[in-house]
């Protein structure tokens, strides 16, 4: 019994720093708690296999969990579907933290697997996940904004719109979505980063994927403070749709690089 008690006390002792660290708003100012919104569909949510490195906690990188509490950021970060796994968010957050030693990073996971861009409008119900992608993202963002300052919006979506019926109208809807996010969150100068849908050698694109891809690639020339991330050389996990775990980590590195390039020295500002 004494041995078991000692083990329990040791576990509680070493767990305490993480319990304390799970409340970043208490430990840092609102201005130094930098928030990043993660939105889109399944390739933002992440479907990679979770490995030990994906469970490693960074004491300065947090995520808003399903219960809307700040907890250390580990994968799976999203909760849209039971298939959620490794995504790009954790790697992105770690790199932002490394580049800004004086701040704490807060990630706001809000992606919804399979969701077309039309479901990212006010009041729209997405039946497959029984959720309201836009309304839920805005509500969670406003909860997070009580504690921190929004510094970026990361978007990865388009697979569900890459078809004959929807592709032609995608660009206009995407521009409208960016404008709505910035207006609703009172963030007209917040960078928006869009990622390229997967293009794999064993799954060539049809013309509709090309249309959606062009809408993403053209964003920096048509909308202010927008970056584009390519998916060149990334691999799928075997389903020809979702990236594998290492590709998600690489995608996170590319999002961070795009963010730094877009903001320049601004990424070191508090």
């Amino acid at each position: 019994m004494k041995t078991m008690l000692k083990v329990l006390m040791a576990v509680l002792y070493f767990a305490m720093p993480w319990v304390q660290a799970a409340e970043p708003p208490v430990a840092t100012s609102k201005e130094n708690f930098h928030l990043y919104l993660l939105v889109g569909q399944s390739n933002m949510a992440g479907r990679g296999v979770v490995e030990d490195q994906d469970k490693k906690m960074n004491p300065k990188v947090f995520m808003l969990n399903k219960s809307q509490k700040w907890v250390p950021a580990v994968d799976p970060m999203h909760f849209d579907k039971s298939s959620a796994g490794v995504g790009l968010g954790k790697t992105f957050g770690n790199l932002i933290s490394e580049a800004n030693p004086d701040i704490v990073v807060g990630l706001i996971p809000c992606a919804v697997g399979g969701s077309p861009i039309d479901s990212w409008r006010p009041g729209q119900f997405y039946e497959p996940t029984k959720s309201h992608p836009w309304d839920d993202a805005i509500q969670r963002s406003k909860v997070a904004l009580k504690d921190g300052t929004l510094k970026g919006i990361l978007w990865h979506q388009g697979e569900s719109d890459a078809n004959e019926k929807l592709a032609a109208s995608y660009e206009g809807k995407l521009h409208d979505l960016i404008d709505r996010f910035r207006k609703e969150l009172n963030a007209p100068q917040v960078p928006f980063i869009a990622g390229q849908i997967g293009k794999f050698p064993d799954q060539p694109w049809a013309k509709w994927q090309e249309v959606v891809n062009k809408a993403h690639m053209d964003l920096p020339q048509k909308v202010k403070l927008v970056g584009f991330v390519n998916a060149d050389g990334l691999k799928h996990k075997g389903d020809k749709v979702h990236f594998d775990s290492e590709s998600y980590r690489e995608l996170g590195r590319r999002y961070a690089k795009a963010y730094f390039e877009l903001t320049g020295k601004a990424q070191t500002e508090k």
Side-chain angles (χ1 to χ4, degrees), residues 3-176:
T3 301
M4 291 179 64
L5 182 59
K6 288 181 180 179
V7 171
L8 178 59
M9 290 177 66
V11 169
L12 290 173
Y13 175 80
F14 286 109
M16 280 303 292
W18 291 111
V19 172
Q20 295 168 352
E23 298 178 350
V26 175
T28 188
S29 67
K30 186 173 182 178
E31 292 73 23
N32 282 0
F33 189 28
H34 290 193
L35 307 179
Y36 296 88
L37 179 59
L38 311 179
V39 281
Q41 56 183 110
S42 57
N43 269 325
M44 175 57 79
R47 297 294 187 255
V49 175
V50 178
E51 300 173 2
D52 287 344
Q53 63 181 298
D54 308 306
K55 302 175 185 178
K56 186 176 180 180
M57 294 183 244
N58 182 330
K60 297 180 69 177
V61 181
F62 293 81
M63 64 182 186
L64 193 71
N65 69 9
K66 186 176 182 179
S67 300
Q68 301 188 147
K69 303 296 183 182
W70 291 112
V71 298
V74 295
D75 286 313
M77 192 173 298
H78 281 80
F79 45 84
D80 57 315
K81 294 183 179 181
S82 60
S83 54
V86 173
L88 63 91
K90 186 172 182 294
T91 298
F92 174 87
N94 285 341
L95 290 171
I96 296 296
S97 176
E98 289 174 13
N100 298 269
D102 296 329
I103 61 100
V104 175
V105 173
L107 303 171
I108 313 168
C110 296
V112 179
S115 58
I117 200 167
D118 280 340
S119 67
W120 288 87
R121 297 189 63 82
Q124 292 301 305
F125 178 69
Y126 185 56
E127 177 66 32
T129 55
K130 309 297 183 186
S131 66
H132 296 79
W134 172 264
D135 295 343
D136 295 343
I138 295 301
Q139 190 273 333
R140 283 172 55 78
S141 295
K142 290 184 176 180
V143 167
L145 285 166
K146 294 177 182 178
D147 300 321
T149 303
L150 188 64
K151 291 291 182 175
I153 301 172
L154 279 54
W155 173 259
H156 201 291
Q157 190 272 346
E159 293 91 345
S160 292
D161 289 85
N163 57 63
E164 183 176 4
K165 181 180 178 181
L166 300 174
S169 60
Y170 184 79
E171 182 177 58
K173 294 174 182 178
L174 181 58
H175 291 189
D176 175 67

Side-chain angles (χ1 to χ4, degrees), residues 172-191:
K173 294 174 182 178
L174 181 58
H175 291 189
D176 175 67
L177 175 135
I178 296 170
D179 185 58
R180 282 188 283 111
F181 266 128
R182 288 174 167 167
K183 286 181 178 178
E184 187 67 31
L185 300 177
N186 191 27
Q189 300 299 316
V190 168

Side-chain angles (χ1 to χ4, degrees), residues 150-249:
L150 188 64
K151 291 291 182 175
I153 301 172
L154 279 54
W155 173 259
H156 201 291
Q157 190 272 346
E159 293 91 345
S160 292
D161 289 85
N163 57 63
E164 183 176 4
K165 181 180 178 181
L166 300 174
S169 60
Y170 184 79
E171 182 177 58
K173 294 174 182 178
L174 181 58
H175 291 189
D176 175 67
L177 175 135
I178 296 170
D179 185 58
R180 282 188 283 111
F181 266 128
R182 288 174 167 167
K183 286 181 178 178
E184 187 67 31
L185 300 177
N186 191 27
Q189 300 299 316
V190 168
F192 184 98
I193 313 288
Q196 186 176 44
I197 59 178
K199 186 175 185 179
F200 311 112
D202 55 348
Q203 185 67 17
W205 279 350
K207 63 180 292 187
W208 310 115
Q209 280 85 8
E210 295 285 359
V211 171
V212 169
N213 181 60
K214 189 174 188 303
H216 289 147
M217 291 186 68
D218 288 351
L219 276 173
Q221 288 74 50
K222 296 184 177 182
V223 182
K224 67 176 183 179
L225 288 171
V226 172
F228 170 75
V229 174
N230 73 65
D232 294 348
L234 301 184
K235 300 177 181 179
H236 63 75
K237 68 173 190 176
D239 61 3
K240 300 182 180 181
V241 176
H242 301 106
F243 300 106
D244 63 16
S245 297
E246 182 49 43
S247 293
Y248 279 120
R249 298 183 197 109

